[in-house]
Amino acid sequence: MEEFIGKLPAMDLMRSEQMTFVQFIIPVESAHRAVSYLGEVGLVQFRDLNAEKSPFQRTFVNQVKRCAEMSRKLRFFKDQVGKAGIKSPENPVVQPDVVLEEVEIQLVEHEHELTEMNSNSERLRQSYNELLEYKMVLQEAGSFLFSGKNHPVAEERELDETAYSNDYVETASLLEKEMRPGASEQSGLNYVSGIICQTKVLIFERMLFRATRGNMLFNQAPANEGIMDPVTSEMVEKVVFMVYFSGEQARKKIRKICEAFGANCYPVPDDITKQRQMTSEVLSRLSELEATLDAGIRHRNSALSSMSLHLPKWTNLVRREKAVYDTLNMLNFDVTKKCLVGEGWCPIFAKAKIQEVLQRATYDSNSQVGIIFHTMDAVESPPTFFRMNKFTNAYQEIVDAYGVARYQEANPAVYTVVTFPFLFAVMFGDWGHGICLLLGALVLIARESKLSNKKLGSFMEMLFGGRYVLLLMSLFSIYCGLIYNEFFSVPFHIFGRSAYKCRDTTCSDARSAGLIKYRDPYPFGVDPSWRGSRSELPFLNSLKMKMSILLGVTQMNLGIILSYFNARYFESSLDIRYQFVPQMIFLNSLFGYLSLLIVIKWCTGSQADLYHVMIYMFLSPTDDLGENQLFWGQRPLQILLLLLALIAVPWMLFPKPFILKRLHIERFQGRTYGVLGISEMDVEAEPDSARALQHHEDFNFSEVFVHQMIHSIEFVLGAVSNTASYLRLWALSLAHSELSTVFYEKVLLLAWGYDNAIIRLVGLAVFAFATAFILLMMETLSAFLHALRLHWVEFQNKFYHGDGYKFKPFSFALLNDDDE
């Protein structure tokens, strides 16, 4: 057996890639090029040797600041391009390589040019807005003055004094004075005209009334066009106003209130001829300014368009350079300050490629000294690295969401690729719903290249990332739906006729009574005659419940078998003898035996009560089974299995801690002087060294024993609870089937029973809505989460530690993906 297993070919995904700890000694003149080349390879995870230093104390902090400043300028350019509505080219032209210093100079020039254009545009827009406001004030205020001289009562309104304080009642109304002939000339009536935001006009009017004690008249009219804010580029609605008042003090108060509210005041002459002359001057200046503004916008847009062609390349270059300098900051200078020393992890298969890249960096930088690259011993555990593709990546993410695999530990994703979508399909089995999911998955896969370059919402991004999971889930759902013989809850005679027929003509409407079996069983799946019969629910419940137990026991056994392969790989014979063997005996003595009884009952057609068999196996193991006996020798076998299960519990609990204690004593026996020979100075000098760890190593028997006891109790209780947990496969399958039946019979068939076309359309719409949002979305999510639980808890807790950490190499490709 051992020889056969040893000859099996290695699986790429079964265990993480073998990693090695390496050290780089790089001359200063070739450091930047070497790290840049390693970023293109993307197979080295650097270790931060300056973790105790702050970012501002590191060697290349000035270069990082420069890159950050260039990134800020590039974001500014990108915002300006977006505001201008200029689309970046989908296929940018191939440009020659540029140096960071050249890009920095160009960015400074472009920023200065763009800032100057923006400030000039803002000044021109401000002048244009002022002239536009003046034009509207002249138009509206002229109508106020003209109507005030000819029809003073028709156009003006008096503020309601009851809305204000009674302190102003004795003051003569300005409106009464104005309506008397010659009132303006006799009393020195003046006015102020201007424009204000529509949102402030009510508060503005009330403030004017209170400041002048009611001695004013306020006229307003909405502006006939909006004003563009030069800063936010938003259209602002404004109102033209004219305030009539008397006295110099009132003028000062009104001017201050206008300044406080941001109202712009413009002079309006009394003479209608001067008004027309001024309006024509304003219009001519407006046309000139508009032409100037358009020319400036065209010039700015052409500059932004040419800039947008270079933005992707510049952004990529700056992002890469910043990443290179951030990585160089993780390296340490040696004593001579002529070399940089770096440490990190890399896969063993990449060593030759890394060596070749470092030699190329030395040659390209014209360095007289080569880069030293060699392996080292490391105390800490290596990172975990699996080579993924777009199909297996989603399944690995499902496993990693629970915990990253310990280095060289068996990877559950190998089996999750099949078991996860299959267990989902057991709960979701309906080949009509499966076809709907399949169409959705195929659409996502067909548009893969387009959608991968687009920014999607959180839900769509999650759906797109799991498109291949959805594909297998839909295919397995079709398969399980064919087994259940359900198409939107409707059975079909796909694989031939039913195995049952009526005994005579009187049972033509019968569902169960009067039916006899006249031919071989239905070749594949559930016989259509069970659908709608009185015994449908008991039959399907029994089938799905027993199937759930069989699937659960099989998957839990797979998990325990994987724990054997883990122990064998790490050469831990203790785990094989005192963990794997008793666990297999305990689980299969009870629930493996139950699975055997289920299969025998299906094959023999026995009427034995398995509940009774399993309960009295514990309560009365020596009693006669009677009619519940399924095979010869069942009672002594049950007694033997029960004894084996009882023996397996102390087998798991006691031997391993005592053997570990004996091994620890033997390991350090006679080595007292060797341990004491390590001085405290050596330990302080190398606090992370293997010698220091050995010096501080201590074996705590009570802690080991308690840990083993917890593990044993957890397994014994988990064997029962996990098996019961797999019954969710039956429960959710039943719920999905019953919901689908209710929507079909109580909605679609009920509506189809009417001759009214509107009722039929409404019923069809309700059925489609319920199917799409409840059965295809909510039920899919529910089955997905339950399948996730079965893998994370019931399957992975048998062998998976999940306390490792991911391999995160310095890679330009990963950098681009993260920043998009």
Side-chain angles (χ1 to χ4, degrees):
M1 182 66 179
E2 294 285 333
E3 294 179 0
F4 172 74
I5 294 175
K7 291 179 181 178
L8 291 176
M11 296 176 64
D12 290 339
L13 277 178
M14 186 63 185
R15 302 191 186 278
S16 67
E17 296 290 339
Q18 292 187 351
M19 310 294 289
T20 181
F21 192 69
V22 295
Q23 186 181 55
F24 305 88
I25 302 176
I26 312 172
V28 174
E29 61 270 15
S30 57
H32 181 278
R33 196 178 295 273
V35 172
S36 180
Y37 286 177
L38 288 174
E40 292 175 356
V41 174
L43 288 172
V44 178
Q45 176 179 321
F46 285 94
R47 182 182 178 188
D48 192 358
L49 301 180
N50 301 310
E52 72 282 356
K53 295 182 180 179
S54 70
F56 300 102
Q57 294 175 324
R58 304 204 178 198
T59 308
F60 298 95
V61 61
N62 292 327
Q63 287 84 346
V64 172
K65 287 181 180 178
R66 284 173 56 200
C67 293
E69 179 64 17
M70 287 193 286
S71 298
R72 181 197 64 78
K73 292 172 182 174
L74 287 168
R75 288 195 301 271
F76 170 67
F77 296 153
K78 193 172 182 180
D79 291 340
Q80 293 296 313
V81 168
K83 286 180 181 178
I86 299 171
K87 292 184 178 180
S88 301
E90 295 184 0
N91 299 317
V93 295
V94 179
Q95 301 161 352
D97 292 335
V98 289
V99 186
L100 187 68
E101 286 72 17
E102 296 178 3
V103 173
E104 187 175 17
I105 294 170
Q106 292 181 26
L107 291 181
V108 171
E109 293 175 354
H110 285 307
E111 185 186 30
H112 178 71
E113 180 186 2
L114 192 56
T115 305
E116 189 173 354
M117 283 193 292
N118 286 343
S119 61
N120 290 336
S121 177
E122 284 183 16
R123 284 197 297 270
L124 287 173
R125 173 59 63 181
Q126 188 67 32
S127 302
Y128 180 81
N129 288 346
E130 290 176 359
L131 287 173
L132 188 60
E133 289 176 352
Y134 197 10
K135 183 195 78 169
M136 291 188 288
V137 168
L138 286 171
Q139 292 173 349
E140 300 296 338
S143 64
F144 291 156
L145 290 172
F146 181 74
S147 61
K149 291 179 181 179
N150 295 280
H151 308 285
V153 182
E155 293 292 330
E156 295 172 359
R157 64 182 180 85
E158 183 179 358
L159 292 170
D160 188 2
E161 293 183 2
T162 59
Y164 306 101
S165 175
N166 291 329
D167 296 339
Y168 314 125
V169 173
E170 295 179 0
T171 308
S173 172
L174 190 64
L175 180 60
E176 295 175 1
K177 293 181 181 179
E178 189 193 8
M179 287 193 298
R180 292 196 287 267
S184 177
E185 289 79 6
Q186 293 173 5
S187 60
L189 188 66
N190 296 316
Y191 60 85
V192 171
S193 55
I195 194 167
I196 190 173
C197 290
Q198 190 176 19
T199 55
K200 301 178 182 179
V201 67
L202 291 176
I203 306 173
F204 178 64
E205 182 181 0
R206 178 167 298 206
M207 186 63 71
L208 287 174
F209 185 86
R210 290 185 180 277
T212 59
R213 296 179 176 269
N215 289 320
M216 70 97 191
L217 182 69
F218 187 84
N219 277 348
Q220 62 172 323
N224 52 13
E225 54 185 303
I227 306 294
M228 179 183 288
D229 191 325
V231 179
T232 62
S233 300
E234 294 179 356
M235 299 303 292
V236 181
E237 298 294 329
K238 297 208 171 186
V239 172
V240 177
F241 67 87
M242 180 169 279
V243 184
Y244 297 95
F245 61 90
S246 178
E248 190 61 28
Q249 290 296 328
R251 179 192 295 276
K252 292 179 181 178
K253 290 180 181 179
I254 291 171
R255 289 284 185 183
K256 287 182 179 180
I257 292 171
C258 290
E259 290 177 7
F261 278 85
N264 298 325
C265 297
Y266 299 98
V268 178
D270 290 337
D271 190 1
I272 190 66
T273 306
K274 290 183 179 179
Q275 284 185 20
R276 289 173 180 170
Q277 183 181 357
M278 196 170 291
T279 303
S280 63
E281 290 178 5
V282 169
L283 288 174
S284 66
R285 290 183 61 190
L286 272 174
S287 62
E288 294 173 2
L289 269 179
E290 193 169 354
T292 307
L293 272 172
D294 290 341
I297 290 172
R298 284 195 300 272
H299 176 62
R300 181 172 174 272
N301 286 348
S302 70
L304 288 174
S305 297
S306 63
M307 215 180 294
S308 66
L309 297 175
H310 302 278
L311 274 181
K313 187 174 183 64
W314 289 346
T315 305
N316 190 39
L317 174 66
V318 172
R319 188 189 293 139
R320 286 186 172 212
E321 289 295 319
K322 186 176 183 298
V324 167
Y325 285 118
D326 283 335
T327 304
L328 286 171
N329 277 331
M330 299 170 72
L331 275 58
N332 211 349
F333 269 107
D334 70 337
V335 180
T336 62
K337 298 292 182 182
K338 293 181 179 179
C339 293
L340 284 168
V341 179
E343 296 176 357
W345 295 97
C346 74
I348 290 179
F349 72 83
K351 285 176 62 178
K353 190 173 185 180
I354 292 172
Q355 187 73 51
E356 179 187 347
V357 162
L358 294 178
Q359 290 175 359
R360 182 159 58 91
T362 303
Y363 178 78
D364 291 347
S365 57
N366 297 321
S367 176
Q368 301 298 321
V369 182
I371 299 173
I372 299 174
F373 170 67
H374 63 95
T375 59
M376 295 175 61
D377 293 332
V379 175
E380 67 268 20
S381 176
T384 300
F385 174 50
F386 299 105
R387 281 186 275 188
M388 296 284 106
N389 54 40
K390 60 185 178 182
F391 179 82
T392 57
N393 184 62
Y395 296 98
Q396 189 65 54
E397 289 295 326
I398 289 174
V399 173
D400 289 347
Y402 175 82
V404 179
R406 181 182 290 184
Y407 179 65
Q408 293 288 292
E409 177 179 31
N411 183 17
V414 176
Y415 306 94
T416 303
V417 170
V418 173
T419 58
F420 184 86
F422 178 72
L423 291 185
F424 168 87
V426 171
M427 296 179 275
F428 193 77
D430 187 304
W431 61 281
H433 297 152
I435 289 173
C436 295
L437 290 183
L438 179 62
L439 293 175
L442 291 177
V443 168
L444 291 175
I445 293 172
R447 303 185 64 187
E448 186 176 280
S449 56
K450 293 181 179 178
L451 292 175
S452 59
N453 297 323
K454 287 185 179 179
K455 285 195 173 182
L456 307 172
S458 57
F459 177 75
M460 277 303 298
E461 186 176 359
M462 179 183 65
L463 203 62
F464 178 71
R467 58 195 179 279
Y468 290 103
V469 180
L470 190 64
L471 175 67
L472 285 191
M473 289 194 314
S474 61
L475 292 175
F476 278 112
S477 295
I478 294 172
Y479 170 72
C480 288
L482 291 173
I483 290 179
Y484 298 156
N485 203 347
E486 291 186 15
F487 178 83
F488 296 101
S489 79
V490 180
F492 282 88
H493 294 75
I494 303 174
F495 301 101
R497 291 179 297 170
S498 171
Y500 299 91
K501 70 175 182 178
C502 285
R503 183 178 288 113
D504 50 42
T505 56
T506 59
C507 74
S508 58
D509 297 329
R511 286 293 184 184
S512 58
L515 293 177
I516 59 171
K517 187 174 180 180
Y518 76 102
R519 54 178 298 179
D520 292 336
Y522 196 68
F524 185 82
V526 175
D527 195 302
S529 295
W530 288 106
R531 180 67 60 182
S533 66
R534 284 179 293 179
S535 55
E536 173 194 3
L537 204 55
F539 171 75
L540 291 179
N541 276 349
S542 174
L543 170 68
K544 293 179 179 179
M545 187 191 307
K546 292 181 174 64
M547 186 176 65
S548 300
I549 292 174
L550 292 177
L551 292 174
V553 172
T554 302
Q555 191 174 32
M556 287 191 291
N557 272 293
L558 174 63
I560 298 175
I561 291 171
L562 287 176
S563 72
Y564 163 76
F565 283 104
N566 272 341
R568 183 178 177 276
Y569 183 84
F570 293 113
E571 299 179 351
S572 176
S573 59
L574 280 180
D575 286 339
I576 295 176
R577 295 172 186 171
Y578 305 109
Q579 190 165 305
F580 164 72
V581 174
Q583 285 181 356
M584 286 293 289
I585 290 173
F586 182 84
L587 180 67
N588 290 292
S589 295
L590 302 180
F591 300 104
Y593 174 63
L594 174 60
S595 303
L596 176 66
L597 293 180
I598 290 172
V599 174
I600 292 175
K601 183 177 179 180
W602 277 350
C603 294
T604 61
S606 171
Q607 297 297 317
D609 186 0
L610 298 186
Y611 294 109
H612 184 279
V613 173
M614 293 303 297
I615 289 172
Y616 283 92
M617 178 180 173
F618 293 93
L619 297 180
S620 304
T622 58
D623 288 356
D624 187 19
L625 294 173
E627 61 181 10
N628 290 320
Q629 183 166 336
L630 286 165
F631 56 90
W632 180 84
Q634 183 177 352
R635 185 175 63 178
L637 178 61
Q638 289 186 176
I639 295 173
L640 176 63
L641 292 176
L642 189 60
L643 290 175
L644 287 175
L646 291 175
I647 293 171
V649 176
W651 191 351
M652 276 188 283
L653 176 59
F654 293 110
K656 187 177 177 181
F658 288 97
I659 293 174
L660 286 174
K661 182 179 180 180
R662 180 174 60 82
L663 291 175
H664 178 77
I665 293 172
E666 291 176 355
R667 183 185 306 165
F668 290 97
Q669 189 174 10
R671 293 175 56 187
T672 309
Y673 294 104
V675 174
L676 292 176
I678 300 173
S679 67
E680 294 297 327
M681 186 178 298
D682 292 335
V683 173
E684 291 175 3
E686 301 179 50
D688 294 332
S689 66
R691 289 193 299 161
L693 292 176
Q694 186 182 17
H695 177 70
H696 291 294
E697 184 179 4
D698 190 19
F699 181 82
N700 191 331
F701 174 75
S702 60
E703 183 178 339
V704 172
F705 186 83
V706 168
H707 180 270
Q708 186 66 23
M709 183 174 63
I710 292 172
H711 183 77
S712 302
I713 295 173
E714 182 183 8
F715 178 81
V716 171
L717 297 179
V720 179
S721 64
N722 292 351
T723 305
S725 183
Y726 276 95
L727 292 176
R728 70 185 67 232
L729 297 172
W730 155 53
L732 265 78
S733 175
L734 175 66
H736 185 84
S737 176
E738 291 301 311
L739 267 177
S740 184
T741 303
V742 167
F743 290 140
Y744 175 71
E745 293 181 355
K746 302 301 181 183
V747 176
L748 189 62
L749 290 185
L750 189 65
W752 227 252
Y754 293 89
D755 292 334
N756 193 323
I758 296 176
I759 296 178
R760 289 186 174 184
L761 286 175
V762 170
L764 185 61
V766 172
F767 175 76
F769 178 85
T771 299
F773 288 94
I774 297 178
L775 295 177
L776 292 181
M777 290 184 66
M778 293 177 61
E779 283 286 310
T780 300
L781 182 61
S782 174
F784 182 91
L785 294 176
H786 282 283
L788 202 63
R789 146 79 196 225
L790 290 176
H791 280 78
W792 281 357
V793 179
E794 277 70 28
F795 174 53
Q796 291 179 189
N797 72 351
K798 302 293 185 296
F799 68 98
Y800 189 61
H801 291 92
D803 55 357
Y805 63 101
K806 273 188 177 182
F807 176 59
K808 296 181 178 178
F810 170 59
S811 170
F812 290 147
L814 295 178
L815 183 70
N816 293 336
D817 289 342
D818 291 340
D819 291 352
E820 279 181 0

